Amino acid sequence: MNDNAPSALLVDDVWVALPEELREELLTRRRSSTGWRGYRRQEWDGRHWEPLRPVIIRERAYRGLGWLTARLLHLAVEACRRRAATLGELHRALRFPHELQLMDPDRPLVAAELTRYARPDLLVEQGQPRLLEFNNSTRLGGDTVTPRLAEAYARLCPQSGLHPPPSSVTARSAALVRTLGSQVGNGRPRRMLVPACWGIDANGTRRRHERIKKPVLADAERVGLEVVQADLVELGINAAGRLLAAGLPIDLVMFQWGSDRIVDDGGGLAALRSADRARTVELFPRTESALISSKAVLAWLHEDCDAGLLDPADSALVRTHVPWTTCLGLDGDPAVHEKLLRMATDERDRLVSKPAVGKSGNGVLFGSQTSEKDWLAAAVHAARESPVVLQQRVESDRMTMPFLDRDSGQEIVAQVPYVLSPFMIDGEAASVGVRHMGPGVRAGDVVIGASRGGFQSTALIAPDPV
């Protein structure tokens, strides 16, 4: 087995294991430093709290986390390939609720294409990481904030041995270069397009997807890419089938939009599709990678374990690190549906109901917080509209987090739940996004998200003990 393989992977926040002198020095410098105002939130009591430290992870645990998530992503694609031969078939099998406007329905499922860019969410339960969803997408929150925060924290105590993971920004630039292979840096510019567009989100709101973020632009230029920023309406195709943006031929397209329905593209989407089908342009990441983000895929992993389709090591990996998950709304067999509903009623306190495809905790119901009548009705109604998963409830570990209210100077220490979200780029872990709740978090189950009052943070790596 690979040395990084998590045969007994534990991923703890090891802040309290650091020398007391180092902890006090980091907190003292953090209190006196500036530039953190965007890193605070208003709590229920009206205070504007700032967390004063990052999560601290051991080097070996970080490597194990990367190995684990990469392996689970690969197994997820294998589960999809058992049920679909093409992307179009997979879209239908998942009852995926969004149109993927650049998807080639006849394209085969290729793990290396569908897992290039992901940010899985993992809760930690008794030290064990438990994967809740894969979050494969063209647009992942925190891609620039996470490494910036990590670098800022590392600068507070540069001689401490604490250091950031590889940056998600530089890791993505390296992936862009790999996409073009030897074509980069051979004397003629290789152009990367970052298209801007208008989209309609799930709430029907029209919004603008703007252009490339400054850190991403600077790093793409550092690795030798000529970045072109143009609206979809400025795209076209030349006689050779090459994609043109404002008249310039494009070699690579990097997407910055998520699942919104793109509107008023002026034929730009058709131009992108034509160039992609003609294989005259590369896409990073491919928009259909979002299919793997459906939590129904986690249910398929458990189905395959039960059917004996995974080897013993992979089966143990899934059962240990993926909470038991089943799906309502995919299988039309009434007997299967009835059995799942009975189980959902009997095991309500141990389950969470979630949309198979969703974000920000919308539509999430904890059985422990819902009456039997409301629980069953909500799950059945939601499954008629779009697939719903029932997932084993994970009891998140809590970490000790100091908070500062700069307005009053008050400090408070709270035990808060947290989520780890390593950026996985071409199978390798980069920055670790962290979300945790504030000092006013209630006891019991809670959705840990920015829209629910969570803080966006980061992780530093500590050397393994000698």
Side-chain angles (χ1 to χ4, degrees):
M1 182 178 287
N2 185 299
D3 182 56
N4 294 332
S7 55
L9 176 62
L10 296 178
V11 181
D12 291 317
D13 170 50
V14 296
W15 168 257
V16 296
L18 298 179
E20 183 178 358
E21 297 82 0
L22 173 57
R23 283 182 279 149
E24 286 302 320
E25 180 182 10
L26 190 146
L27 291 177
T28 298
R29 295 186 179 187
R30 169 68 177 83
R31 293 182 191 105
S32 63
S33 60
T34 59
W36 303 82
R37 287 188 62 84
Y39 186 40
R40 68 179 193 166
R41 297 185 70 92
Q42 183 171 342
E43 286 281 308
W44 59 273
D45 58 2
R47 299 295 182 91
H48 291 84
W49 295 108
E50 292 181 18
L52 293 179
R53 70 169 183 89
V55 170
I56 308 295
I57 300 174
R58 293 288 186 195
E59 184 76 46
R60 182 172 177 81
Y62 170 74
R63 294 197 306 270
L65 194 65
W67 187 94
L68 168 69
T69 49
R71 185 60 187 162
L72 289 175
L73 278 164
H74 180 81
L75 293 176
V77 177
E78 290 301 303
C80 293
R81 291 178 64 182
R82 293 186 186 99
R83 293 160 175 86
T86 66
L87 294 169
E89 290 177 7
L90 180 59
H91 191 276
R92 291 189 294 274
L94 288 168
R95 285 188 62 206
F96 202 76
H98 307 307
E99 178 187 1
L100 300 174
Q101 293 167 305
L102 295 179
M103 183 181 74
D104 181 351
D106 298 322
R107 195 178 184 97
L109 277 60
V110 179
E113 292 181 351
L114 297 175
T115 62
R116 296 203 70 185
Y117 194 49
R119 195 209 62 209
D121 284 346
L122 301 103
L123 287 179
V124 178
E125 183 177 40
Q126 298 182 7
Q128 285 191 335
R130 308 269 279 159
L131 188 143
L132 302 184
E133 58 184 311
F134 285 115
N135 285 329
N136 292 41
S137 178
T138 51
R139 182 181 182 129
L140 298 176
D143 59 332
T144 58
V145 173
T146 299
R148 177 174 59 79
L149 282 174
E151 290 157 7
Y153 272 120
R155 285 195 298 269
L156 294 177
C157 297
Q159 307 305 317
S160 66
L162 302 176
H163 61 89
S167 166
S168 51
V169 173
T170 56
R172 180 165 52 183
S173 292
L176 295 170
V177 170
R178 283 193 296 272
T179 302
L180 293 174
S182 60
Q183 299 173 355
V184 176
N186 62 357
R188 81 178 184 89
R190 310 303 296 179
R191 294 192 182 93
M192 179 178 79
L193 168 68
V194 182
C197 62
W198 286 97
I200 306 293
D201 67 18
N203 297 319
T205 303
R206 179 186 174 95
R207 61 176 178 170
R208 178 74 172 167
H209 292 287
E210 290 297 344
R211 308 190 177 201
I212 191 169
K213 299 173 184 176
K214 289 182 180 179
V216 178
L217 171 61
D219 207 66
E221 292 175 340
R222 177 189 64 82
V223 297
L225 295 172
E226 179 182 327
V227 179
V228 176
Q229 301 182 70
D231 196 283
L232 285 178
V233 299
E234 300 178 82
L235 305 189
I237 294 287
N238 67 10
R242 290 284 304 277
L243 181 69
L244 302 177
L248 297 172
I250 300 298
D251 303 292
L252 171 67
V253 180
M254 184 176 75
F255 295 107
Q256 295 276 270
W257 67 68
S259 60
D260 291 1
R261 179 170 58 88
I262 307 304
V263 295
D264 299 334
D265 66 296
L269 288 173
L272 278 168
R273 278 193 293 268
S274 294
D276 178 47
R277 304 301 191 272
R279 302 293 194 267
T280 60
V281 72
E282 299 286 349
L283 309 181
F284 182 93
R286 297 197 63 85
T287 56
E288 53 266 33
S289 64
L291 293 170
I292 309 301
S293 67
S294 171
K295 288 179 278 292
V297 177
L298 303 180
W300 287 350
L301 283 173
H302 279 279
E303 285 180 11
D304 292 351
C305 285
D306 293 341
L309 299 178
L310 276 65
D311 68 39
D314 286 332
S315 182
L317 202 70
V318 170
R319 294 192 189 281
T320 300
H321 296 290
V322 178
W324 179 86
T325 308
T326 192
C327 194
L328 291 169
L330 287 186
D331 196 321
D333 184 344
V336 173
H337 197 65
E338 183 179 347
K339 181 180 178 181
L340 288 177
L341 289 176
R342 284 201 306 271
M343 181 275 301
T345 301
D346 295 341
E347 301 289 329
R348 184 179 81 256
D349 286 351
R350 299 174 54 199
L351 296 174
V352 185
S353 172
K354 307 176 180 180
V357 178
K359 59 183 179 180
S360 302
N362 295 329
V364 173
L365 284 177
F366 292 98
S368 59
Q369 300 172 1
T370 312
S371 71
E372 180 177 329
K373 178 183 177 182
D374 291 344
W375 164 256
L376 210 57
V380 171
H381 175 74
R384 290 194 184 106
E385 299 296 321
S386 188
V388 168
V389 297
L390 302 175
Q391 192 172 72
Q392 177 188 12
R393 179 171 58 92
V394 177
E395 297 186 25
S396 171
D397 292 350
R398 297 199 171 205
M399 63 178 178
T400 302
M401 178 61 64
F403 293 88
L404 169 66
D405 173 24
R406 289 194 185 273
D407 297 331
S408 67
Q410 181 184 358
E411 286 192 31
I412 191 171
V413 176
Q415 299 292 316
V416 297
Y418 62 102
V419 174
L420 299 179
S421 301
F423 286 84
M424 300 299 298
I425 302 174
D426 281 353
E428 298 290 334
S431 303
V432 180
V434 176
R435 297 190 306 280
H436 64 76
M437 301 306 287
V441 64
R442 66 177 186 267
D445 299 315
V446 63
V447 175
I448 308 170
S451 64
R452 306 301 178 102
F455 290 82
Q456 184 170 308
S457 190
T458 192
L460 291 183
I461 308 301
D464 293 323
V466 178

